[in-house]
Amino acid sequence: MDATSAPRRAEIARRTSETDIRATLVLDGQGQAEIATGVGFLDHMLVALTRHGLLDLALQADGDLHIDFHHTTEDCGIVLGQAIRQALGDKRGIRRFGHALVPMDEALAECAIDISGRPYLAWSVTFARDKVGAMDTELFEEFFRALVMNAGLTVHITQKAGTNAHHVAEACFKAFARALRMAVETDPRAPGAIPSTKGSLEG
């Protein structure tokens, strides 16, 4: 389904020995979120992503949280990436590129996205502490890497300022959300066109 058709929607179910995740995504949504991963801070970030990306996202995850949060966080990224890719279809009519610079108090994060079909994450973010709540801060990079690899996105996320780990993480998720919102939008000057000189956005 191309960007001139509505709604652009995906349903993904993924079950392994470590996690069981189901997600429904509408790209052209209203920012409505029904998130339950079992990881409180991840839920908070996914709600922010949904709201600022103007997506509708329902995501339910049951994971091996008795071990740690790694598998659940990474697999949520995988499922969300798969849903984005499925909902985009052949990518006709989209803007393709998106960019956002988002402040969160003293923190400032920048995100640039290319819906290129070539997955790549450039992550230039550091955290002053190892955890936000009970969640390891190193898992934010794992989440975004899993997402971009499965969605087929080129994404650069850069921390421009910030010392509070909560603020830094939230600025990154909101910047990604706003950049994604821009990139998936329909380009009124090129409706139905594939935005590539190759005629394809499949890598």
Side-chain angles (χ1 to χ4, degrees):
M1 183 177 293
D2 64 46
T4 63
S5 303
R8 292 178 292 171
R9 188 175 188 275
E11 292 187 21
I12 302 290
R14 184 178 188 272
R15 185 172 186 175
T16 71
S17 62
E18 298 167 341
T19 62
D20 185 0
I21 303 175
R22 294 181 178 273
T24 302
L25 172 71
V26 178
L27 281 183
D28 306 295
Q30 298 178 323
Q32 297 178 349
E34 297 179 15
I35 311 293
T37 68
V39 182
F41 194 77
L42 181 59
D43 287 359
H44 180 44
M45 292 298 96
L46 291 177
V47 169
L49 194 163
T50 301
R51 176 65 184 89
H52 293 280
L54 279 186
L55 312 170
D56 289 342
L57 176 64
L59 188 148
Q60 172 78 42
D62 294 307
D64 54 1
L65 302 181
H66 61 287
I67 296 175
D68 65 9
F69 295 167
H70 186 113
H71 297 145
T72 297
T73 301
E74 182 177 31
D75 289 4
C76 283
I78 290 172
V79 168
L80 182 53
Q82 291 175 345
I84 291 169
R85 187 169 200 143
Q86 184 182 110
L88 281 168
D90 66 4
K91 308 178 183 71
R92 287 186 180 276
I94 64 170
R95 292 188 183 276
R96 175 178 169 178
F97 299 99
H99 173 265
L101 186 65
V102 172
M104 178 69 182
D105 294 349
E106 92 297 343
L108 183 66
E110 181 178 45
C111 179
I113 292 177
D114 178 9
I115 302 176
S116 60
R118 299 184 305 278
Y120 183 83
L121 175 67
W123 177 260
S124 301
V125 182
T126 58
F127 291 95
R129 52 193 171 103
D130 294 335
K131 289 183 180 290
V132 178
M135 186 173 181
D136 296 324
T137 51
E138 68 181 11
L139 294 181
F140 300 125
E141 181 178 3
E142 297 302 320
F143 170 83
F144 280 110
R145 177 167 290 108
L147 190 159
V148 304
M149 292 299 292
N150 285 273
L153 309 177
T154 297
V155 174
H156 289 247
I157 299 177
T158 305
Q159 175 188 358
K160 311 295 283 188
T163 55
N164 181 292
H166 185 135
H167 294 165
V168 170
E170 190 159 344
C172 289
F173 273 81
K174 289 178 177 177
F176 176 83
R178 296 293 297 197
L180 181 67
R181 175 178 166 182
M182 181 187 298
V184 304
E185 283 179 345
T186 300
D187 187 343
R189 295 183 62 189
I194 298 288
S196 171
T197 55
K198 296 187 299 183
S200 173
L201 289 173
E202 294 304 319

